[in-house]
């Protein structure tokens, strides 16, 4: 079932199991990589599908932006193999759900002040259309990180897709597996000179006072109008003196109960709001009785999929419920969905978790495709930045992607893994001038930290371009190579929202 829905074989051959019939020659299945006809038919099928595909120039009633945080091209390639091998395939020949989209491009991810992006400046770029400084959210590059005065000066604030969609009368939503106040989702609604200012407790003790990100989600002009917010980060909405439903203390110092405030504000705006904190509550939510929902399912980030319990909703389940709620608006909707824990796993050099979270992202895209009319819904899938994981070694097909290269040992006669990192916590010091013997490690452990060249507490991002996949109205606008801040301009064009050029004007 998963193989059918999550992975698409890139060959579309076998043609009902038919074999190649030549007189006097042994019969061979077309789905056979040693058969030259396999490759000819595969390439011809792709060519014909591209030639026959008409350009969709309709107005995009709905827009869904999927963001795999840290989902590098290397991560995509490794995840294909990871997911394929779980279903008895080699894996390289398969595609993730969104890799079948007809149009792809490459986005350049650097910040204005750094050559390698963080999630704050990149989020500002692909959500507002403005490139920013590292560590800043929803502000132009006129504001440096930590500049509270610059944040308070509204002249430097920038808004984008979320604001434009709301002004056009569309419903809006944010779904993430991280804290809903984390840098990536925050860029859709907040203005912060420091991505770390998620709650008031994080703000500097001296100097000017700036609104924290959680506060802006509840009281901000854009944040308060978001109809669906699903993810983690519950602690940033409750005071330290209060415990949440799981017994965890809140983190706020100002005594504000922002969940209660959110419910009151939404009701005053004429909405029918609901606060949920378990998977069951989310799945049982009646969209006819509640047209706005705040779901905070963990005090911090949501758990990794491989460690999730029965009451933790998956990214797919949150995405489906969001679409179900937002689809009630006859004017359409804009939904931002982040698979955020790909990034945190890479920072820990836990490749197994990173690949699994990418697979979860592919499932969420597949779930969305089943629910929307792709003729009137533009779906864009991309990443904010890459990571330093590499995929190497000349291994034979079928070799465990999370295991050792089986071609040969290194020149020191010690084995090495197919996946490794340029830097990070997986560094192991040499022993008697020899590289650490990885055969002594339990590389099958869920939390195994993969080898790193340079010792660093947290692995860093990478600076190369990231892939962009698009399907639906005006998806052909997303081909080629472009700056990351181009993305929201193209999405706004297709949906007839925002102040710039659109297909309607």
């Amino acid at each position: 079932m998963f193989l059918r829905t999550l992975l698409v074989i890139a060959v579309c051959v076998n043609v009902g199991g038919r074999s190649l019939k030549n007189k006097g020659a042994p019969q061979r299945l077309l789905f056979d990589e040693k058969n030259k006809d396999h490759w000819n038919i595969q390439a011809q099928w792709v060519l014909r599908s591209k030639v026959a595909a008409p350009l969709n120039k309709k107005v995009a009633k709905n827009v869904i932006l999927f963001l795999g945080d840290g989902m590098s091209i290397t991560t995509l390639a490794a995840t294909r193999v990871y997911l394929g091998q779980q279903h008895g395939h080699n894996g390289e020949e398969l595609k993730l759900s969104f890799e079948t989209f007809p149009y792809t491009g490459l986005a350049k991810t650097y910040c204005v002040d750094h050559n390698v992006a963080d999630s704050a400046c990149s989020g500002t770029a692909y959500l507002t259309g403005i490139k920013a400084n590292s560590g800043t959210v929803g502000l132009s590059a006129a504001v440096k990180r930590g500049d509270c005065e610059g944040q308070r000066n509204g002249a430097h604030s920038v808004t984008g897709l979320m604001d434009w969609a709301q002004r056009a009368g569309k419903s809006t939503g944010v779904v993430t597996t991280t804290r809903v106040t984390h840098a990536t989702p925050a860029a859709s609604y907040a203005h912060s000179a420091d991505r770390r200012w998620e709650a008031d407790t994080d703000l500097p003790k001296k100097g000017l006072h700036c609104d924290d990100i959680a506060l802006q989600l509840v009281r901000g002009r854009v944040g308060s109008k978001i109809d669906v917010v699903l993810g983690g980060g519950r602690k940033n909405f409750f005071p330290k003196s209060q415990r949440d439903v799981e017994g965890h203390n809140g983190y706020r110092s100002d005594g504000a109960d922002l969940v209660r405030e959110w419910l009151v504000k939404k009701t005053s705006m004429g909405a029918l709001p609901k606060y949920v904190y378990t998977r069951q509550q989310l799945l049982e939510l009646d969209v006819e009785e509640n047209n706005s929902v705040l779901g905070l399912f963990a005090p911090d980030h949501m758990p990794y999929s491989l460690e999730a319990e029965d009451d933790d909703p998956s990214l797919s389940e949150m995405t489906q419920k969001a679409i179900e709620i937002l689809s009630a608006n006859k004017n359409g909707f804009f939904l931002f969905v982040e698979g955020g824990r790909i990034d945190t796993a890479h920072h820990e050099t836990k490749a197994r978790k990173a690949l699994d979270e990418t697979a979860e992202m592919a499932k969420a895209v597949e779930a969305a495709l089943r629910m929307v009319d792709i003729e009137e819904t533009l779906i864009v899938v991309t990443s904010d930045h890459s990571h330093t994981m590499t995929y190497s070694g000349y291994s034979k097909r079928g070799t465990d992607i999370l295991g050792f290269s089986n071609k040969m040992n290194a020149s020191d006669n010690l084995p090495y893994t197919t996946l490794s990192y340029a830097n990070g916590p997986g560094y192991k010091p040499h022993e008697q001038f020899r590289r650490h013997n990885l055969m002594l490690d339990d590389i099958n452990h869920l939390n195994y930290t993969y080898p790193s060249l340079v010792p660093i507490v947290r692995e860093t991002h990478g600076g190369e371009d990231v892939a962009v996949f698009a399907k639906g109205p005006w998806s052909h606008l997303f081909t080629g190579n472009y700056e990351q801040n181009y993305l929201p301009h193209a999405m706004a064009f297709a949906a007839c929202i925002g102040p710039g050029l659109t297909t309607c004007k």
Side-chain angles (χ1 to χ4, degrees), residues 30-93:
L30 295 181
F31 186 49
D32 174 7
E33 292 183 349
K34 296 180 181 178
N35 177 358
K36 64 182 181 182
D37 296 290
H38 161 90
W39 298 107
N40 285 328
I41 292 175
Q42 176 226 46
Q44 285 293 311
W45 178 80
V46 172
L47 177 62
R48 287 176 182 273
S49 66
K50 289 185 178 295
V51 169
L55 296 182
N56 183 345
K57 294 186 177 181
K58 298 178 182 178
V59 174
K61 176 182 178 182
N62 312 309
V63 176
I64 306 178
L65 173 57
F66 282 93
L67 191 285
D69 199 315
M71 190 174 68
S72 63
I73 292 177
T74 304
T75 303
L76 294 175
T79 301
R80 289 180 215 135
V81 184
Y82 168 78
L83 206 44
Q85 289 179 346
Q86 290 183 334
H87 297 277
H89 293 258
N90 288 329
E92 294 89 349
E93 72 281 10

Side-chain angles (χ1 to χ4, degrees), residues 401-476:
I401 188 65
L402 291 164
F404 296 112
S405 171
N406 67 10
K407 184 68 174 178
M408 64 183 74
N409 286 340
S411 57
D412 56 8
N413 291 319
L414 291 174
Y416 60 97
T417 52
T418 300
L419 302 179
S420 61
Y421 291 82
N423 57 50
Y427 173 83
K428 293 180 174 64
H430 288 203
E431 301 161 357
Q432 297 179 341
F433 303 103
R434 295 195 72 206
R435 186 165 58 92
H436 172 73
N437 187 353
L438 297 179
M439 292 296 289
L440 302 176
D441 296 349
D442 180 8
I443 67 171
N444 294 316
H445 194 282
L446 177 62
N447 287 307
Y448 179 67
T449 55
Y450 275 70
S452 307
L453 176 64
V454 176
I456 257 183
V457 176
R458 274 171 59 83
E459 178 265 359
T460 71
H461 297 164
E464 67 268 29
D465 298 352
V466 293
V468 181
F469 305 87
K471 185 171 186 175
W474 293 96
S475 51
H476 54 284

Side-chain angles (χ1 to χ4, degrees), residues 349-382:
T349 66
K350 294 177 180 176
R352 186 178 302 273
K353 285 182 173 179
L355 302 192
D356 189 75
E357 291 297 314
T358 307
E360 289 298 306
M361 177 82 169
K363 292 179 186 179
V365 175
E366 180 68 24
L369 286 168
R370 290 195 298 265
M371 295 185 69
V372 301
D373 180 357
I374 200 63
E375 285 299 307
E376 62 177 19
T377 303
L378 171 63
I379 299 181
V380 178
V381 182
T382 187

Side-chain angles (χ1 to χ4, degrees), residues 15-16 25 54 62 87 96 98-99 108 135 166 170 175 226 252 309 321 366 369 377 392 406 439 450-451 479 483:
V15 194
N62 312 309
H87 297 277
L96 302 176
F98 50 86
E99 291 183 311
K108 298 156 66 177
Q166 291 172 354
K170 296 182 183 294
V175 172
I226 300 176
R252 301 195 65 82
E309 298 181 355
K321 182 59 70 172
E366 180 68 24
L369 286 168
T377 303
S392 61
N406 67 10
M439 292 296 289
Y450 275 70
T479 56
E483 298 287 355

Side-chain angles (χ1 to χ4, degrees), residues 123 127-128 137 160 162-163 174 183-190 222 226 334 336:
L127 283 165
T128 75
V137 172
M162 199 68 68
D163 179 34
V174 175
T184 299
S188 68
Y189 62 83
V222 176
I226 300 176
F334 169 67
F336 177 56

Side-chain angles (χ1 to χ4, degrees), residues 19-222:
S19 57
L20 188 67
K21 296 182 179 179
N22 290 329
K23 264 192 173 181
Q27 292 189 2
R28 294 175 294 178
L29 290 177
L30 295 181
F31 186 49
D32 174 7
E33 292 183 349
K34 296 180 181 178
N35 177 358
K36 64 182 181 182
D37 296 290
H38 161 90
W39 298 107
N40 285 328
I41 292 175
Q42 176 226 46
Q44 285 293 311
W45 178 80
V46 172
L47 177 62
R48 287 176 182 273
S49 66
K50 289 185 178 295
V51 169
L55 296 182
N56 183 345
K57 294 186 177 181
K58 298 178 182 178
V59 174
K61 176 182 178 182
N62 312 309
V63 176
I64 306 178
L65 173 57
F66 282 93
L67 191 285
D69 199 315
M71 190 174 68
S72 63
I73 292 177
T74 304
T75 303
L76 294 175
T79 301
R80 289 180 215 135
V81 184
Y82 168 78
L83 206 44
Q85 289 179 346
Q86 290 183 334
H87 297 277
H89 293 258
N90 288 329
E92 294 89 349
E93 72 281 10
L94 306 179
K95 290 188 178 184
L96 302 176
S97 58
F98 50 86
E99 291 183 311
T100 65
F101 285 10
Y103 300 102
T104 59
L106 291 171
K108 298 156 66 177
T109 62
Y110 63 90
C111 308
V112 171
D113 62 344
H114 284 74
N115 61 355
V116 175
D118 80 316
S119 294
C121 81
S122 56
T124 302
Y126 62 76
L127 283 165
T128 75
I130 304 295
K131 284 234 177 188
N133 290 327
S134 180
T136 64
V137 172
L139 299 166
S140 73
V143 179
K144 294 183 178 180
R145 185 169 189 170
D147 180 7
C148 182
E149 184 176 357
Q151 174 181 327
R152 287 160 58 99
N153 183 348
H156 306 306
S157 296
V158 294
T159 62
L161 290 168
M162 199 68 68
D163 179 34
W164 302 339
Q166 291 172 354
R167 290 176 182 271
K170 296 182 183 294
S171 294
T172 53
V174 175
V175 172
T176 180
T177 51
T178 66
R179 297 185 298 272
V180 297
T181 52
H182 204 234
T184 299
S188 68
Y189 62 83
H191 313 286
S192 181
D194 197 319
R195 56 177 290 175
R196 295 173 296 185
W197 296 347
E198 296 185 46
D200 67 310
T201 305
D202 300 315
L203 294 167
K205 305 304 179 188
K206 297 181 180 180
L208 294 174
H209 175 80
C210 279
D211 287 342
D212 61 87
I213 293 170
L215 198 72
Q216 293 183 57
L217 177 57
V218 176
R219 300 180 188 174
R221 182 180 62 81
V222 176

